[in-house]
Structure formats: structure tokens, C-alpha cells
Amino acid sequence: MAVAFLNLVAAFAISSTDGAVLGACLALAVATLLFIFYIQPDASDLAPHRSKLDQLMERRDTIYDNLRDLRFEFRSGKYSEGDYNAMRVSIENEAAGVLTEIERVTESQVRRARGVRAVETERGER
């Protein structure tokens, strides 16, 4: 009977190679469960991708808000006139660059649309 028990234990004994594989499988299973249940996706991953024009319009609005805030802070006495003028010029230059980029992007979109329409009218299609 003792021999039969030892044969049974030997049959279920795990070799060191099998133990390493079993450990790796368990670690992978735990990592998978942690990923599924505890790691939340970033909100930017779920947001739809915005076009270049949308990004520029948002940047323009932010710059206008910054200019309005700067004007308010100057009037409340937070900045001297020299500091205010320097920051205002900097923000206005940034706004001019963004407005130029918006114009360039919208102009290229309009140019493409006009080009398609001109081809259609030459064929006599409407």
C-alpha cells in the first residue's frame, strides 16, 4: 500500500520545468485580470479625433480667453503697464499666427471644393 501511495505521489509530482510554466501561466492570468478590471482607459482614447481646423479654433479661443484674463488682471492692478503691454503683444502675435494658420487651412479646403465644383460645371453636371 505504501508503494502504491508513493507511485501516486510521483505521478502527480510537478517537475521544476512544469512549475516554471505553471507559474508563468498564473502570472499572465493575474496580469490579464488586473488589466481588464483595474486599468481604466484614458479619456483621450475615447474622444473622437479632431481635425486640424478644430484644434486651431480651440487654440484661438484659448488665446482670446488669455487676452481677456490679462486685461482684467491689468485693470485690477496685478501687472504694471510695461509688463501688460509686453504680455499683450506676445499674446496678440500668437493669436495672429493662429488666425493665419486657420485662414490657410480653410482656404485650402475651399480651394479643393471649388476645384471639384469647377470640373462638374465644365462637364455640365450640377
Side-chain angles (χ1 to χ4, degrees):
M1 177 133 151
V3 175
F5 179 73
L6 289 176
N7 286 337
L8 184 63
V9 169
F12 287 110
I14 298 174
S15 68
S16 63
T17 306
D18 291 339
V21 171
L22 182 61
C25 289
L26 288 175
L28 183 61
V30 169
T32 302
L33 291 174
L34 285 174
F35 181 77
I36 290 172
F37 294 110
Y38 291 107
I39 297 179
Q40 299 297 323
D42 192 16
S44 64
D45 294 338
L46 302 175
H49 295 288
R50 298 176 303 153
S51 69
K52 177 77 171 171
L53 182 60
D54 291 337
Q55 293 172 4
L56 289 169
M57 299 284 262
E58 185 177 326
R59 182 68 186 136
R60 178 201 61 188
D61 294 342
T62 303
I63 291 170
Y64 286 160
D65 289 342
N66 291 344
L67 193 57
R68 186 173 39 252
D69 291 344
L70 178 65
R71 206 172 297 132
F72 173 78
E73 290 171 353
F74 170 68
R75 289 179 182 161
S76 66
K78 187 173 180 180
Y79 297 113
S80 68
E81 189 170 344
D83 291 341
Y84 166 74
N85 287 331
M87 286 188 280
R88 180 182 53 82
V89 167
S90 172
I91 292 173
E92 287 175 350
N93 287 338
E94 185 177 358
V98 169
L99 290 174
T100 302
E101 186 68 18
I102 288 173
E103 185 176 317
R104 187 187 64 76
V105 168
T106 55
E107 193 174 281
S108 68
Q109 289 176 352
V110 170
R111 202 175 310 129
R112 270 186 273 155
R114 285 183 188 158
V116 170
R117 181 175 251 162
V119 170
E120 289 176 358
T121 54
E122 287 180 62
R123 290 187 206 160
E125 299 172 2
R126 284 211 148 182

